[in-house]
Amino acid sequence: MAGNGETSWCFSQIKGALDDDVTEADIISCVEFNHDGELLATGDKGGRVVIFQRDPSSKASTPRRGEYNVYSTFQSHEPEFDYLKSLEIEEKINKIRWLKRKNQSHFLLSTNDKTIKLWKVSERDKRVEGYNTLEDNGSIRDPASINTLRVPSMKSMDLMVEASPRRIFANAHTYHINSISVNSDQETYLSADDLRINLWHLEITDQSFNIVDIKPANMEELTEVITAAEFHPTECNVFVYSSSKGTIRLCDMRSSALCDRHAKLFEEPEDVDITNKSFFREIISSISDVKLSNSGRYMISRDYLSIKVWDLHMETRPIETYPVHEYLRTKLCSLYENDCIFDKFECCWNGNDSAIMTGSYNNFFRIFDRNTSKDVTLEASRDIIKPKTVLKPRKVCTGGKRKKDEISVDCLAFNKRILHTAWHPLENIIAVAATNNLFIFQDKF
């Protein structure tokens, strides 16, 4: 799989209503491919999960196309009210994580701020007919009227996709859940909030094991919160979590049951140049997302202005740093005033760890090729929604004379942001969430 350096990207599809009458509930809040890329799930602020399935004809065509059709839509979470704390609990889906497929059905975990649910998504194309105790309309027959026994038979019916909740994991988090991650053993998973990380077994809903607790005895002494957590892709005893202080801790569950003591601490050296220290330094150094590579050797972390690649064998500094939108460094004051500085951008790897992707403002998203050190800024825009339209690289002008194809930093739309992106695990197909629309792009052969 090529990274960005040799890849031209073209438009494949857009999902979601194109009208401008967007409700808050329609805004996409997470995007996730399953392990073979055949399914793509999105969650939104209205608590709904929409699953798209790869179109078989697009996969079989030459060249292969990345086209997806709606497979299943279901209401995953409803708004709730915590009467003890007088708090409303939003239905917004914070994260979706797929389990590896073991049989004909698919399983996924979805979570809002407080409750995690395990969903089973299965197909049904046959129904049972000829019950002895039921009439054809479903009503119960009078036992006295049954004088013969018949053998029920299976009849074909139109394909129906059913989503059913198999487990509900609740009441384990005091603070809002920001991460869930399925372990490589496919039996356990972790869930993280601001101050604690819990370990769950997929079969046990009424108890979890607290593996990290950074809550101080006196909350006035609180200096950092957990921002993201993820299991290692192959080593079931290792997980990492990032903090608002810009650090990443790697923990090994073999060393102790409670992993408050980390095995490794990944932190960039403190900048000794006093001129570079600003009022916003602590805010912009907070890590909003961390993702381990598919090989398990590296990880990426996203802070406000950059994305960094770390080698798990080297804690002292990142091996690669890519500025995402460095031109915003001079705009931090206004970004603080309009709360944009607190936006939490996610990041993702491609299938062979040669490229990484993350979002920016103005519906821009950035792809960095680690092999060639080339990068590109692309835009998820309705202007390009014709099949196979090649995406033109976008450039932001920071001052002086603006060239024809450039956009001035003062003209960027900060209300249009790409927070959630996903990369197909095996092919160059990417999914980008822009407000209520899901854009799918693929490489142009």
Side-chain angles (χ1 to χ4, degrees):
M1 182 192 295
N4 155 60
E6 303 81 21
T7 306
S8 291
W9 293 93
C10 66
F11 172 78
S12 178
Q13 281 178 300
I14 182 171
K15 303 291 186 183
L18 289 178
D19 55 46
D20 292 320
D21 188 23
V22 180
T23 64
E24 184 79 5
D26 295 329
I27 295 173
I28 296 172
S29 54
C30 56
V31 184
E32 191 79 10
F33 280 103
N34 75 338
H35 291 86
D36 59 9
E38 290 300 298
L39 298 179
L40 170 62
T42 64
D44 64 25
K45 289 191 173 182
R48 294 180 297 263
V49 171
V50 181
I51 301 174
F52 301 93
Q53 184 180 45
R54 180 84 176 267
D55 187 309
S57 61
S58 80
K59 193 178 172 186
S61 68
T62 308
R64 285 157 74 106
R65 300 192 314 276
E67 292 175 5
Y68 286 77
N69 302 318
V70 174
Y71 180 64
S72 176
T73 303
F74 58 92
Q75 189 72 32
S76 174
H77 287 70
E78 303 278 358
E80 297 172 53
F81 191 79
D82 186 333
Y83 292 97
L84 291 175
K85 296 179 182 166
S86 294
L87 279 177
E88 283 185 32
I89 301 168
E90 284 186 331
E91 64 271 41
K92 173 193 163 196
I93 309 294
N94 292 342
K95 284 285 185 288
I96 289 172
R97 290 290 180 263
W98 290 93
L99 276 71
K100 284 186 178 163
R101 196 173 182 185
K102 293 177 180 172
N103 52 36
Q104 288 299 102
S105 301
H106 298 274
F107 289 87
L108 61 86
L109 288 167
S110 63
T111 184
N112 66 351
D113 286 340
K114 297 289 182 185
T115 305
I116 305 153
K117 295 184 180 181
L118 174 68
W119 289 89
K120 177 184 180 183
V121 182
S122 53
E123 296 180 355
R124 195 149 63 94
D125 60 358
K126 289 186 172 57
R127 67 173 185 270
V128 178
E129 281 190 1
Y131 283 102
N132 288 287
T133 55
L134 296 177
E135 299 287 357
D136 290 338
N137 63 4
S139 60
I140 296 173
R141 292 176 72 185
D142 179 7
S145 69
I146 301 173
N147 46 31
T148 59
L149 288 177
R150 51 184 176 171
V151 178
S153 61
M154 302 292 284
K155 290 283 169 65
S156 294
M157 58 179 266
D158 291 338
L159 180 68
M160 199 166 87
V161 180
E162 294 178 317
S164 52
R166 305 301 300 217
R167 308 268 186 281
I168 296 176
F169 308 88
N171 306 321
H173 285 276
T174 308
Y175 306 96
H176 292 176
I177 298 169
N178 57 48
S179 303
I180 49 175
S181 178
V182 181
N183 201 344
S184 58
D185 62 15
Q186 295 292 303
E187 292 182 3
T188 55
Y189 73 93
L190 64 76
S191 59
D193 64 26
D194 287 352
L195 298 179
R196 296 189 177 100
I197 301 175
N198 292 333
L199 181 69
W200 300 83
H201 194 285
L202 284 161
E203 298 293 328
I204 302 168
T205 59
D206 58 354
Q207 60 183 28
S208 61
F209 191 80
N210 180 229
I211 50 175
V212 172
D213 187 347
I214 65 166
K215 184 180 180 182
N218 180 0
M219 281 295 275
E220 289 177 4
E221 295 168 7
L222 182 68
T223 58
E224 63 180 331
V225 294
I226 297 165
T227 55
E230 188 178 56
F231 266 120
H232 191 280
T234 54
E235 296 176 27
C236 61
N237 51 288
V238 174
F239 67 94
V240 297
Y241 68 92
S242 58
S243 87
S244 57
K245 268 193 167 178
T247 62
I248 305 168
R249 292 173 174 84
L250 182 143
C251 301
D252 190 336
M253 291 189 289
R254 292 174 302 185
S255 58
S256 67
L258 190 61
C259 298
D260 288 348
R261 287 185 180 175
H262 52 266
K264 290 185 178 183
L265 176 68
F266 299 86
E267 186 173 23
E268 201 155 23
E270 185 78 37
D271 196 338
V272 290
D273 185 358
I274 198 77
T275 57
N276 278 342
K277 293 187 177 178
S278 73
F279 170 73
F280 305 108
R281 185 178 62 85
E282 204 166 299
I283 300 173
I284 64 173
S285 63
S286 173
I287 294 172
S288 56
D289 195 20
V290 62
K291 292 273 169 60
L292 284 144
S293 66
N294 299 289
S295 68
R297 172 69 189 266
Y298 305 100
M299 63 182 170
I300 46 175
S301 64
R302 173 71 208 264
D303 57 43
Y304 190 67
L305 292 177
S306 66
I307 187 167
K308 299 180 173 78
V309 181
W310 302 81
D311 187 329
L312 291 193
H313 295 179
M314 189 172 92
E315 300 165 62
T316 50
R317 55 172 44 85
I319 56 170
E320 297 156 32
T321 301
Y322 302 99
V324 176
H325 37 217
E326 188 62 27
Y327 45 79
L328 294 183
R329 194 176 285 277
T330 57
K331 305 279 179 191
L332 294 178
C333 202
S334 55
L335 290 164
Y336 178 75
E337 286 168 3
N338 64 15
D339 280 348
C340 284
I341 202 167
F342 302 107
D343 285 336
K344 292 176 169 53
F345 292 95
E346 294 174 7
C347 51
C348 64
W349 293 90
N350 73 339
N352 62 6
D353 304 335
S354 64
I356 51 182
M357 174 170 58
T358 191
S360 180
Y361 293 103
N362 209 70
N363 278 357
F364 288 170
F365 59 99
R366 307 266 282 133
I367 299 177
F368 303 91
D369 190 307
R370 299 183 56 222
N371 293 334
T372 63
S373 296
K374 290 182 180 176
D375 63 83
V376 68
T377 302
L378 302 171
E379 183 181 6
S381 161
R382 292 183 192 174
D383 300 338
I384 49 98
I385 55 174
K386 288 185 191 135
K388 300 184 182 176
T389 304
V390 177
L391 304 191
K392 288 181 182 171
R394 302 303 307 266
K395 284 195 169 60
V396 177
C397 166
T398 52
K401 258 196 168 180
R402 183 167 65 87
K403 292 179 186 168
K404 182 187 170 190
D405 294 334
E406 291 182 337
I407 180 170
S408 167
V409 68
D410 296 317
C411 297
L412 295 173
F414 291 104
N415 61 331
K416 294 179 178 177
R417 49 178 82 86
I418 303 287
L419 300 177
H420 315 288
T421 59
W423 203 312
H424 190 290
L426 305 170
E427 297 178 45
N428 271 340
I429 299 170
I430 55 178
V432 171
T435 318
N436 67 316
N437 294 132
L438 180 71
F439 287 83
I440 298 174
F441 304 107
Q442 67 175 84
D443 58 357
K444 184 170 179 61
F445 288 96

